[in-house]
Amino acid sequence: MDMEGMKYLGAAIAVMTGFGSGIGEGMICSHAIDGMARNPQMFSKLRTSMILGCALDETTGIYGLVVAIMCLVM
């Protein structure tokens, strides 16, 4: 296998972090909504934590995209 093929393989593996990010974000939102349904008084705290968690989770997918682009460019 040549280096060009390995470059594309590395980029494909890096892009797969988006799948994990999407699953994680779905779990964050579903558990936060479940907590809001069980205890409506905690709505504002759970919403704030959910937004922060989604933002941190989304950065994982963005980092994977940056690594994939770097693999293809270099």
Side-chain angles (χ1 to χ4, degrees):
M1 187 173 279
D2 60 345
M3 289 303 289
E4 189 73 19
M6 295 299 281
K7 183 166 63 171
Y8 292 126
L9 183 64
I13 291 170
V15 168
M16 284 187 204
T17 60
F19 295 121
S21 177
I23 292 169
E25 196 166 339
M27 290 178 65
I28 290 168
C29 292
S30 69
H31 290 301
I33 291 171
D34 186 37
M36 289 176 199
R38 289 175 187 257
N39 192 358
Q41 291 83 15
M42 295 294 291
F43 177 80
S44 63
K45 284 188 177 184
L46 287 172
R47 185 184 60 190
T48 304
S49 297
M50 179 186 71
I51 291 171
L52 181 63
C54 286
L56 291 173
D57 187 49
E58 193 66 32
T59 59
T60 305
I62 293 171
Y63 289 146
L65 178 65
V66 169
V67 169
I69 290 171
M70 288 175 61
C71 284
L72 293 176
V73 171
M74 293 184 172

